[in-house]
Amino acid sequence: MDFPDSVKLEAKRRANYCCVFCQQVGLFLEVHHIVRQEDGGTADITNAAPLCPNHHTLYDANPQLQRFVKEMRDFWWDQCAKRAAQPDVVALGQKLDALQASIKAGHQEVLGELKALVAGRFQGAADAASSASSMRELIKASTSWTGFAPTVTVTAKGQVTNPDQPSTHS
């Protein structure tokens, strides 16, 4: 059984409408079953993890990573609970959810509105990236469309690190 809409919305809200792995606003955020349904996973909030389509595809096919997905979900939900959600990001996520629901209900005319919304957010990032004159400006531009700009450090060797991102090494 798929998650009820109320569980999907609660999971996305707790994640500030971001993927629990990449922390980027999920334009088409999906709610992943941590424990797959065929393995006895429930359709409640304890088994829900909001993921971008790329991470959903990556982790959906590998049930051995269930603990890792849950840890990342718990880490990100904890981070989101400690800081205020960005109102424009939450509003964007809510609008996207409403538009997707409308499309599912057969209202294809909203597809144009959704396309314009997505294109507008990307255009600002593209403009900022085109005018970037440093690596720091380019990184900022690449995250500007999400409303979430992680803290990054560029080392002398050109390596980019993000102290806000949890280490995936044991």
Side-chain angles (χ1 to χ4, degrees):
M1 181 170 110
D2 198 16
F3 289 107
D5 287 341
S6 61
V7 171
K8 290 179 188 178
L9 290 173
E10 176 64 14
K12 292 176 185 181
R13 186 197 60 75
R14 288 186 187 188
N16 290 341
Y17 289 88
C18 297
C19 173
V20 301
F21 280 96
C22 61
Q23 286 90 43
Q24 297 298 308
V25 173
L27 288 181
F28 301 101
L29 202 60
E30 300 168 352
V31 179
H32 169 72
H33 286 85
I34 296 171
V35 176
R36 297 182 315 178
Q37 293 174 291
E38 53 267 21
D39 295 333
T42 61
D44 61 30
I45 196 72
T46 63
N47 195 38
L51 303 177
C52 66
N54 290 337
H55 282 111
H56 197 198
T57 299
L58 181 66
Y59 290 101
D60 193 43
N62 193 338
Q64 286 76 32
L65 295 174
Q66 291 171 359
R67 192 175 113 212
F68 181 61
V69 173
K70 183 179 183 313
E71 288 171 357
M72 290 299 294
R73 189 262 333 251
D74 292 347
F75 169 82
W76 184 243
W77 281 2
D78 184 55
Q79 293 299 308
C80 291
K82 290 178 183 176
R83 63 178 174 218
Q86 296 179 13
D88 61 326
V89 172
V90 171
L92 174 64
Q94 291 171 335
K95 184 165 181 89
L96 287 168
D97 279 342
L99 290 171
Q100 289 179 55
S102 186
I103 290 170
K104 283 182 184 177
H107 302 108
Q108 291 296 317
E109 66 275 4
V110 299
L111 187 57
E113 185 178 350
L114 182 58
K115 287 180 185 180
L117 181 64
V118 171
R121 295 292 284 201
F122 279 113
Q123 187 59 52
D127 293 345
S130 295
S131 64
S133 60
S134 69
M135 183 65 152
R136 186 172 305 280
E137 288 178 9
L138 183 58
I139 292 166
K140 185 177 178 183
S142 70
T143 59
S144 66
W145 72 273
T146 65
F148 175 77
T151 305
V152 295
T153 303
V154 181
T155 67
K157 294 181 179 180
Q159 294 175 312
V160 178
T161 62
N162 179 355
D164 294 336
Q165 189 88 8
S167 172
T168 57
H169 300 93
S170 299

